Amino acid sequence: MATSPSPSPPPGASGAPAAPHIPAHIHRRRWVILSVLMLSLLIVVLDNSILNVAMKTIATPAPTGLGATQSELEWAINSYTLVFAGLLFTSGLLGDRLGRKKVLLFGLAVFGSGSVLAAVSASPAQLIAFRALMGLGGAFVMPATLAILMNVFEREEQPRAIGVWAGGVGLAIAIGPIAGGLLLDHYWWGSVFLINVPIVLFALVTMVILVPDSRDPAPGKLDPVGVLLSVVGLVLLVYGIIKGGQLADFTDPEVLVTVLGGLAVLAGFVVHQKRSDHPSIDIGYFRKPAFSAAVAAIALVFFALMGVTFFIVFYVQSVRGYTPLESGLLILPLAAAQLIFAPRARLAVDRFGARAVCTVGMLVVAVTMAGMLLLGTDTPIWVLEVLFFLQGTGMAHIMPPVTVAIMQSLPREKAGSGSALNNIFRQVGGTLGVAVLGSLLSTSYRDGIQGTLNALPGVPGPVRNAAGESIEATLGLAARLRPLAARALTAKADDAFLHAIHVTALGSAVVSMVGAVVVVAFLPGKMGPAPHAAEPWGGRKAGAAR
């Protein structure tokens, strides 16, 4: 008698390959899609780094620049940061609910429009307003790129794809100052914004054609109270951090009220999420060691990195005398290391585990921060280049694993929210780093130069006080003195600034060491199984025609 055939094992059972989550036609073009996503990532990251090069030109009186004051220049940067950070979480939620592609296209269109308007600004106030508009667009771009990436790559390929994504961030950071220097050598200051437009147009066209849409198939009810609390809390917190950095005094009443108010509102957000039957984000994710340790690591490493990046620009240009273009070229080793090693970090993680790789990366960053103590007025520039390359190597072995840990801790349908949280912690950490370490730099410099300024004969008190605010201000005063006195003041300014750099670098090294401790204590060595994921393609089955 013939026996009946054995039933086929279910998908995912032992001996049978698991059914893919990604439709076949999307899977085939996944790397092309990633290349297109990198364009949108490029302009958002590049724009922030390119603007730093143009600050001095924008401060020049018309017609060369806008005659912006120091405060107006700061707000040209901070208006973007404030809007960007405040709306990141909201944009991630909208992407999960409405479709990540739709949100990304909207963000690109707003960012491109803001770039055109910023380029033709007729006053510092207009520039500040249009930079805020660009921040609105950027907030809708950044979470969507990573969320779409998570939905076009299978889990086993996500670490490699995120490594490429992280390497692109490093490349954009380096390209910005170089591109800015080249543009300012040949065109007016507005060209640093107008360069975004052709990239945005090309990205919009290619995304419409190539990038698939995805969303949470069961997003549940809206949580308007949670969204409002997240926006208000983040804006207050980031504003307080920025203001504390500007005043170099985090005990100022305005700073304390806004920072504590922001933390209180965010605490209210957490309580609301715990009690709500339709929360914007499941707070339980933070009980997962892989998730909470990863977001803490991202915040700490960007705290250290952005603080050092802030003072290195002044060291290279003000102390060593390099041009903006040359200083941009000097950052290339940092970008090259990230471009080389970030896509390959997964190989080290596969062999040694995320905890070991990220810990070593944090320690490398800490050592290179401490290595800044070697910098002096005549230190061979190759020393800085070696430190940059090693620092980029350490970063390349931190960012991809912790980003993978964050994104793979959440179900695929919550990729927008996860990406937004990743960017929020990075943005808040970086903003805090610039504010706190920038304040430490300013305070240390003023303490070192004030005695010399007070001893200058015939210089009014207000002028001496203003000259002590930064090395640029001191050098501006030196340019108005007699040659012998100018040389003496410049030498003292260099010495005081180098001491301030060393103090700040040690602060960055300590923060990086704290990051290493957090990683060792809480980041798992190996990632667990993927959370249950619903279909992200509008409820269709994998492989179904769209």
Side-chain angles (χ1 to χ4, degrees):
M1 183 175 66
T3 58
S4 60
S6 300
S8 300
S14 178
H21 293 98
I22 312 299
H25 67 287
I26 295 173
H27 181 75
R28 284 193 299 269
R29 63 173 188 254
R30 63 198 184 282
W31 293 107
V32 178
I33 292 170
L34 177 58
S35 300
V36 175
L37 293 175
M38 295 297 288
L39 285 175
S40 58
L41 182 68
L42 175 69
I43 59 168
V44 173
V45 178
L46 181 147
D47 181 77
N48 281 321
S49 57
I50 202 174
L51 180 60
N52 292 329
V53 179
M55 286 288 99
K56 192 171 183 179
T57 306
I58 295 173
T60 306
T64 302
L66 293 177
T69 64
Q70 182 64 34
S71 175
E72 289 169 335
L73 289 174
E74 290 174 355
W75 277 110
I77 296 174
N78 294 333
S79 63
Y80 179 99
T81 302
L82 202 59
V83 175
F84 181 81
L87 291 177
L88 274 172
F89 185 66
T90 302
S91 70
L93 291 175
L94 289 175
D96 286 343
R97 175 174 292 272
L98 303 177
R100 289 123 191 172
K101 178 179 178 178
K102 297 182 184 71
V103 165
L104 179 54
L105 292 174
F106 169 78
L108 281 173
V110 172
F111 190 89
S113 301
S115 297
V116 173
L117 293 170
V120 297
S121 297
S123 68
Q126 288 184 9
L127 179 61
I128 292 168
F130 296 141
R131 282 284 295 166
L133 182 62
M134 292 172 68
L136 170 64
F140 281 83
V141 170
M142 282 293 282
T145 59
L146 189 53
I148 292 173
L149 180 156
M150 297 299 292
N151 279 278
V152 298
F153 284 90
E154 296 290 355
R155 183 178 174 88
E156 63 272 10
E157 280 193 319
Q158 287 170 0
R160 182 183 176 194
I162 288 175
V164 173
W165 182 86
V169 173
L171 180 63
I173 290 172
I175 288 176
I178 298 170
L182 288 171
L183 288 169
L184 292 174
D185 279 349
H186 298 90
Y187 305 104
W188 95 114
W189 64 267
S191 61
V192 301
F193 298 111
L194 212 57
I195 191 65
N196 295 329
V197 177
I199 303 175
V200 166
L201 291 175
F202 181 74
L204 284 171
V205 172
T206 51
M207 283 179 188
V208 168
I209 297 171
L210 294 172
V211 176
D213 203 358
S214 62
R215 59 183 177 84
D216 185 347
K221 293 190 295 183
L222 283 171
D223 178 26
V225 175
V227 170
L228 180 63
L229 288 173
S230 72
V231 172
V232 173
L234 285 169
V235 167
L236 285 174
L237 176 62
V238 174
Y239 176 84
I241 292 169
I242 290 171
K243 196 65 180 177
Q246 287 180 333
L247 299 175
D249 180 9
F250 284 85
T251 63
D252 182 85
E254 182 181 359
V255 175
L256 287 175
V257 167
T258 49
V259 168
L260 294 177
L263 291 174
V265 173
L266 290 175
F269 169 77
V270 171
V271 172
H272 172 73
Q273 296 304 290
K274 286 183 175 180
R275 294 179 176 176
S276 175
D277 57 357
H278 54 283
S280 299
I281 186 70
D282 185 353
I283 299 299
Y285 292 137
F286 285 92
R287 289 195 288 269
K288 298 181 179 181
F291 186 87
S292 56
V295 294
I298 266 187
L300 289 169
V301 77
F302 266 84
F303 181 103
L305 181 69
M306 296 305 293
V308 168
T309 303
F310 177 78
F311 74 65
I312 280 296
V313 172
F314 291 99
Y315 168 74
V316 171
Q317 294 187 29
S318 300
V319 176
R320 302 304 298 269
Y322 288 94
T323 66
L325 177 57
E326 290 169 339
S327 64
L329 291 170
L330 290 175
I331 301 176
L332 277 178
L334 181 70
Q338 292 191 52
L339 199 61
I340 293 168
F341 295 110
R344 295 169 174 80
R346 63 188 174 84
L347 301 176
V349 172
D350 289 344
R351 182 170 182 180
F352 302 107
R355 181 192 295 125
V357 171
C358 291
T359 300
V360 172
M362 281 286 191
L363 292 175
V364 169
V365 171
V367 169
T368 56
M369 295 296 183
M372 300 290 178
L373 295 173
L374 299 173
L375 300 181
T377 54
D378 54 359
T379 303
I381 204 64
W382 62 261
V383 173
L384 180 61
E385 300 300 273
V386 170
L387 289 172
F388 272 158
F389 187 81
L390 293 175
Q391 197 168 93
T393 302
M395 288 285 296
H397 288 86
I398 299 169
M399 296 308 299
V402 296
T403 302
V404 169
I406 291 170
M407 298 305 296
Q408 291 192 345
S409 294
L410 277 63
R412 193 194 296 268
E413 64 267 22
K414 301 298 182 184
S417 303
S419 178
L421 288 170
N422 173 66
N423 282 286
I424 286 170
F425 277 84
R426 182 171 66 179
Q427 187 70 35
V428 171
T431 303
L432 195 58
V434 171
V436 174
L437 295 179
S439 298
L440 180 61
L441 180 77
S442 299
T443 302
S444 299
Y445 177 73
R446 179 181 286 277
D447 290 345
I449 196 65
Q450 199 63 56
T452 301
L453 292 172
N454 290 339
L456 290 175
V459 179
V463 174
R464 288 198 299 267
N465 289 334
E469 290 182 359
S470 67
I471 186 172
E472 284 292 324
T474 306
L475 295 179
L477 174 61
R480 301 198 298 270
L481 302 178
R482 289 176 297 180
L484 185 61
R487 286 195 295 272
L489 180 58
T490 299
K492 291 290 187 180
D494 287 346
D495 289 342
F497 189 70
L498 286 171
H499 173 72
I501 281 178
H502 296 161
V503 171
T504 309
L506 283 176
S508 295
V510 169
V511 171
S512 301
M513 289 297 296
V514 172
V517 172
V518 169
V519 169
V520 168
F522 301 109
L523 191 68
K526 299 288 184 182
M527 287 298 297
H532 172 72
E535 295 294 340
W537 311 104
R540 300 177 188 270
K541 295 295 183 184
R546 296 193 44 161

